[in-house]
Amino acid sequence: MSESVSHRTGEQSARPEGEQICVVGLGYVGMPLALAFDDEGFEVTGFDIDPELVETLSDGNDPTGEAGHDRVAESDVSFTAQPDNIVRADYVILTVPTPVDNTQNPNLDFVKGAARTVGEHISEDTTVILESTVYPGVTESELAPIIEEESGLTAGEEFNLGYSPERLSPGDGGKTLEEVVKIVSGDTDETLEDVATLYETVVDAGVYRAPSIQTAEAAKVIENVQRDINIALMNELAIICDHMDVDTHEVLDAAGTKWNFHDYRPGLVGGHCIPVDPLYLAHGSERAGYTPSLILQGREVNEYMPKHAAELTMRGLNEAGKVLKDSSVLVLGLSYKPNVGDIRTSEVDEVITELETYGIDVEGYDPHAQDDAMAEHFGIPIQDTPDFEGFDAVFLATPHDEFDRFDLSKVAGALNDDPVLIDVMADVDEADATEAGFIYDHL
């Protein structure tokens, strides 16, 4: 590992005396961060504009399922919807969403709103650290001026700025805050060292000191741009193999025997990072005068995959002799990735829309997400327990661990004659599926 990465040491545990942190935004990123600093003895305020979320956390419940109810209940974090404690904070850490709008452009409304709130309450000598994903330049050109205007303080003199991009991956073991190297940056050398020391108290894997805030901002987006482009290549390969009647995964297994082949697989690309970060980098690049072609083409390929997956389903139904407008499909797994319950950025929504365009009835089941939320978000009936009776096809979109326990023969027997199984991520062994009686396909 690079010598620029410094690791947590025992001496640093004494640091928290009297120091106060306010974490702004209490979702998948902010809530674990607040708990981590609380564990190390800091006085921590967790602020969010959503009073229902604050009440849930104050009652000792973890709505994300990542930290666990007990850890939230036993913490000393002061959860609040009132920003008053910002005035006492030595560090204000912003972990607010940075989505894209309907035109696929960055939506910085949450960052700007948080900046206004912080500016209205900030005290002199506070360090404001942004963790949200942004394109290079946002911390200093968008966040700082708003805080300056609202507070009357000058960035770099009366308050300081840092940027430390979040790297959490919900549902993935070994990818917690403590276990992933943290990139840190600051507007001065002194701020950089201060921010590094702060995060070293909670990150066992160590911190990497970026030479500038813009470097850290760019590093965050390129991490997911790289993944997006590589998955896009695999998705395009899947389409090519489909046209050539070649099994994509057999091709990848064979190619993977070479020592320097990278193991990416085709799939639906949802989530808050991979589909969004390329658009942030492209936007920042266009502002600087260059339109990136490869990044945007990768997005086009990945955005096409829900339509392709729906087409595989309809092809399977046709092969089974079904009339599309009289067919029904049960979608298993509606969240954006295995073993998490987040449905907000799931690409399964686009698959459902495409199937319904052809008159196909669709129902869904997901053991990790809330039924009411799924019914509202996807606009389809949601099962509270999986019932395969009377369906023509199963669309395995997100392979949660629970689905591994299904008996394929029993599932096939409950479906209508000539049942279809579309296994998006090739989680089921094809031989087992066909032996059970399925017409089987995958990306």
Side-chain angles (χ1 to χ4, degrees):
M1 185 176 288
S2 168
E3 294 181 358
S4 298
V5 177
S6 60
H7 294 270
R8 189 176 178 183
T9 64
E11 291 77 10
Q12 289 158 342
S13 61
R15 164 118 191 234
E17 269 186 54
E19 292 191 327
Q20 300 185 38
I21 296 173
C22 180
V23 177
V24 177
L26 298 174
Y28 280 90
V29 177
M31 189 269 292
L33 188 66
L35 295 177
F37 282 120
D38 174 69
D39 288 343
E40 294 303 320
F42 289 91
E43 184 176 337
V44 182
T45 297
F47 166 70
D48 199 285
I49 60 173
D50 182 353
E52 291 185 8
L53 173 60
V54 169
E55 183 178 359
T56 296
L57 292 167
S58 298
D59 289 342
N61 298 310
D62 172 16
T64 70
E66 291 294 309
H69 300 312
D70 289 345
R71 190 176 177 202
V72 174
E74 293 168 3
S75 79
D76 292 321
V77 178
S78 174
F79 297 110
T80 180
Q82 302 300 322
D84 300 348
N85 280 4
I86 291 175
V87 72
R88 299 192 294 117
D90 300 289
Y91 304 94
V92 178
I93 304 176
L94 309 183
T95 62
V96 296
T98 47
V100 292
D101 61 24
N102 293 333
T103 62
Q104 299 287 71
N105 286 315
N107 179 355
L108 296 176
D109 288 351
F110 293 102
V111 171
K112 292 177 180 180
R116 283 190 288 272
T117 299
V118 169
E120 291 168 358
H121 296 87
I122 193 175
S123 298
E124 196 168 345
D125 297 326
T126 300
T127 298
V128 180
I129 304 167
L130 181 62
E131 287 212 2
S132 307
T133 299
V134 293
Y135 55 84
V138 167
T139 303
E140 292 162 298
S141 67
E142 299 284 348
L143 179 71
I146 296 174
I147 297 176
E148 288 180 325
E149 181 180 357
E150 296 294 335
S151 67
L153 304 175
T154 302
E157 297 177 10
E158 295 164 295
F159 73 93
N160 289 97
L161 294 168
Y163 182 76
S164 181
E166 60 87 10
R167 281 177 156 177
L168 299 181
S169 184
D172 290 338
K175 303 293 188 296
T176 64
L177 170 68
E178 295 81 4
E179 296 167 305
V180 179
V181 172
K182 198 87 165 68
I183 296 174
V184 296
S185 63
D187 57 0
T188 67
D189 290 342
E190 292 77 13
T191 304
L192 173 62
E193 287 306 312
D194 188 40
V195 173
T197 303
L198 174 70
Y199 279 104
E200 281 172 343
T201 63
V202 294
V203 181
D204 294 327
V207 302
Y208 177 89
R209 292 164 171 79
S212 70
I213 287 177
Q214 288 201 41
T215 298
E217 291 169 326
K220 167 57 180 176
V221 286
I222 196 60
E223 292 172 9
N224 288 312
V225 169
Q226 181 187 68
R227 294 168 67 195
D228 195 47
I229 289 176
N230 276 282
I231 296 170
L233 175 61
M234 297 301 103
N235 278 336
E236 191 156 64
L237 173 67
I239 296 170
I240 293 169
C241 287
D242 184 55
H243 280 75
M244 294 181 170
D245 197 24
V246 178
D247 189 293
T248 309
H249 289 267
E250 290 179 355
V251 172
L252 293 174
D253 289 343
T257 59
K258 190 179 181 186
W259 76 92
N260 60 354
F261 188 83
H262 294 265
D263 188 19
Y264 286 88
R265 299 281 162 157
L268 303 177
V269 185
H272 303 277
C273 295
I274 302 181
V276 172
D277 292 8
L279 299 173
Y280 268 74
L281 182 57
H283 180 83
S285 177
E286 288 172 341
R287 285 169 60 97
Y290 174 73
T291 299
S293 57
L294 180 59
I295 290 173
L296 295 174
Q297 287 171 356
R299 275 282 79 224
E300 284 184 20
V301 171
N302 286 338
E303 288 173 1
Y304 172 74
M305 292 314 289
K307 178 178 175 63
H308 179 64
E311 288 172 347
L312 293 183
T313 308
M314 291 184 284
R315 188 172 69 191
L317 290 168
N318 282 328
E319 184 179 341
K322 310 290 184 180
V323 177
L324 294 183
K325 66 181 181 64
D326 296 328
S327 299
S328 57
V329 175
L330 176 61
V331 178
L332 295 180
L334 297 165
S335 64
Y336 82 92
K337 67 183 293 188
N339 304 319
V340 302
D342 195 341
I343 60 173
R344 292 171 294 171
T345 53
S346 171
E347 287 293 281
V348 181
D349 194 20
E350 297 299 321
V351 178
I352 293 170
T353 299
E354 187 70 17
L355 293 175
E356 289 182 329
T357 299
Y358 289 86
I360 299 171
D361 290 330
V362 183
E363 291 190 17
Y365 169 72
D366 193 307
H368 289 271
Q370 295 182 350
D371 292 352
D372 291 345
M374 288 189 287
E376 180 179 354
H377 183 82
F378 296 101
I380 60 173
I382 300 296
Q383 298 183 357
D384 54 7
T385 56
D387 181 3
F388 301 96
E389 198 73 38
F391 286 90
D392 297 295
V394 170
F395 185 91
L396 179 53
T398 310
H400 298 309
D401 289 348
E402 288 86 346
F403 301 153
D404 292 340
R405 296 193 288 269
F406 288 162
D407 185 314
L408 289 176
S409 296
K410 289 183 179 179
V411 172
L415 295 164
N416 292 334
D417 292 341
D418 299 315
V420 175
L421 173 58
I422 303 301
D423 179 14
V424 171
M425 298 179 68
D427 188 64
V428 177
D429 184 81
E430 182 171 1
D432 292 342
T434 54
E435 184 179 348
F438 281 105
I439 295 171
Y440 175 87
D441 208 349
H442 59 66
L443 292 184

